[in-house]
Amino acid sequence: MPGFPRPFLFTLLSSGGLLLGCQRGQQDAERNPASTAESVTPAAVEALAREYGPMLRGVWVKEAYMAEIARTRSPLQAAAALQGIAALRINPATRSADSLRVALNLNNHEAGELTVYFRPGAAEKALPTNYRNAEKPDDAFELAYDKRLADTTLLLNRYSKGGRQLASERYVRLQRNPTAAGTEASAVQRFVHQQLLAGTYAATDSAGRRNQVRLGADGSIRGLGRYRSYQAATDFAETHANNLDYVLLDANTPRRRRLAYESTPDTVRLYSLRLQGAELRRGRLLYTLVRPRPTVAAGQKAPLP
């Protein structure tokens, strides 16, 4: 599906089989056997909020997906890494008592939420949540952080009923401002823009005409003919016409057009597309965008490749 993930609907069950939240009648002790609401004083809650708030604040994207994008430079090839929670938006300013709702991007295709509790978790530097797996509902999940020098990594740790850690998913902060609703939905696409497409280029079209083109991480375009916006496809849940990496130009206008692309560290190539049956077929090369090489001042050595 092109562009931003489809209008998000809150779901109880994601396609990856993850159940969000708990039943309304479930007790706090069942959600987190290590602590209950009664065992944590208001002062302790505030202390945990002061410690964890700055560490958790922001919009986070799954680290495994980032690594796959770096390796393949292809959202289509990297899409499998987005199963489960693809991104989170955490705004500590919306906390109510000891509870904080966290907005989720599930499978990069639908929306959900979890609640994190400002109570001691089973692990150090961790807080319990109400996130559950439908296939193993007794497993518990905690949010934790790992701070090393200036970098902070968000962790989603999974534990068995007996308290044994089963897995730990890592997330990287894409942006610090979590106030804008929906940024968890567009976070994956913005990351792809930043890594594969955004920049200023010397462009040559199929007729040999040259121009300067700028692609913004926010999806803006300058200098590419009449086009003003682009969206890189990142949601490949639907199988129809979703077999190539492509960008959607001017999505909400009569000029709407899809182009296939290839991205290398210094060049982006844009190709025409046609639909053949249920699959996209790449056509002729339309634009070659080349990043200018950095200039070297007199007396300085050129950077190593």
Side-chain angles (χ1 to χ4, degrees):
M1 158 171 194
F4 293 99
R6 65 174 55 192
F8 275 26
L9 297 176
F10 283 96
T11 59
L12 290 178
L13 187 63
S14 78
S15 58
L18 289 172
L19 183 64
L20 300 180
C22 305
Q23 295 180 358
R24 185 180 300 271
Q26 189 175 17
Q27 306 234 340
D28 288 333
E30 292 177 317
R31 285 197 294 254
N32 178 37
S35 64
T36 65
E38 291 77 12
S39 66
V40 183
T41 66
V45 169
E46 293 302 318
L48 288 170
R50 284 193 299 271
E51 175 188 355
Y52 284 89
M55 298 301 169
L56 303 183
R57 187 176 192 268
V59 179
W60 304 80
V61 173
K62 186 181 284 191
E63 185 181 71
Y65 179 74
M66 292 181 161
E68 281 298 290
I69 287 293
R71 184 182 70 84
T72 66
R73 301 190 68 84
S74 166
L76 178 61
Q77 294 182 50
L82 289 172
Q83 289 299 306
I85 299 179
L88 310 89
R89 178 171 59 88
I90 305 177
N91 185 3
T94 62
R95 175 175 62 92
S96 176
D98 71 342
S99 302
L100 173 64
R101 290 185 176 181
V102 174
L104 305 178
N105 172 345
L106 297 171
N107 309 305
N108 198 39
H109 190 69
E110 55 220 18
E113 69 175 31
L114 62 76
T115 300
V116 59
Y117 301 97
F118 287 87
R119 310 170 195 163
E124 186 180 5
K125 303 295 183 184
L127 299 174
T129 77
N130 69 346
Y131 193 58
R132 289 296 180 267
N133 182 286
E135 296 179 357
K136 294 185 178 180
D138 289 335
D139 289 355
F141 292 80
E142 294 186 342
L143 277 182
Y145 69 88
D146 180 15
K147 183 172 177 58
R148 300 182 183 182
L149 299 178
D151 295 328
T152 302
T153 302
L154 184 70
L155 307 174
L156 181 66
N157 296 330
R158 180 175 179 172
Y159 298 89
S160 68
K161 185 177 182 180
R164 180 170 62 90
Q165 184 169 333
L166 302 174
S168 182
E169 195 71 67
R170 300 173 68 87
Y171 295 82
V172 175
R173 183 154 38 201
L174 185 68
Q175 64 186 68
R176 292 187 176 275
N177 183 2
T179 56
T183 47
E184 72 283 356
S186 59
V188 169
Q189 188 177 74
R190 187 178 184 90
F191 171 74
V192 167
H193 288 176
Q194 289 176 346
Q195 296 300 305
L196 302 185
L197 297 167
T200 300
Y201 298 91
T204 305
D205 68 13
S206 57
R209 294 183 292 259
R210 298 178 183 272
N211 192 23
Q212 185 180 80
V213 170
R214 183 185 181 279
L215 304 180
D218 61 354
S220 61
I221 297 179
R222 286 195 310 211
L224 193 68
R226 59 184 179 173
Y227 298 110
R228 296 293 178 265
S229 68
Y230 75 99
Q231 298 173 358
T234 59
D235 179 1
F236 299 94
E238 295 181 2
T239 57
H240 181 80
N242 249 347
N243 58 299
L244 290 175
D245 288 310
Y246 65 89
V247 293
L248 183 61
L249 305 180
D250 288 356
N252 300 315
T253 76
R255 299 186 302 272
R256 173 188 172 102
R257 187 181 187 185
R258 282 194 291 193
L259 298 181
Y261 72 90
E262 290 179 341
S263 170
T264 68
D266 61 0
T267 304
V268 174
R269 294 179 175 86
L270 299 173
Y271 300 86
S272 64
L273 276 178
R274 71 180 189 277
L275 185 62
Q276 184 174 320
E279 293 191 340
L280 295 171
R281 290 288 182 263
R282 195 172 76 181
R284 65 189 181 95
L285 177 64
L286 298 179
Y287 301 96
T288 301
L289 313 181
V290 180
R291 296 180 191 270
R293 292 181 177 273
T295 57
V296 180
Q300 291 185 338
K301 294 182 178 179
L304 295 175

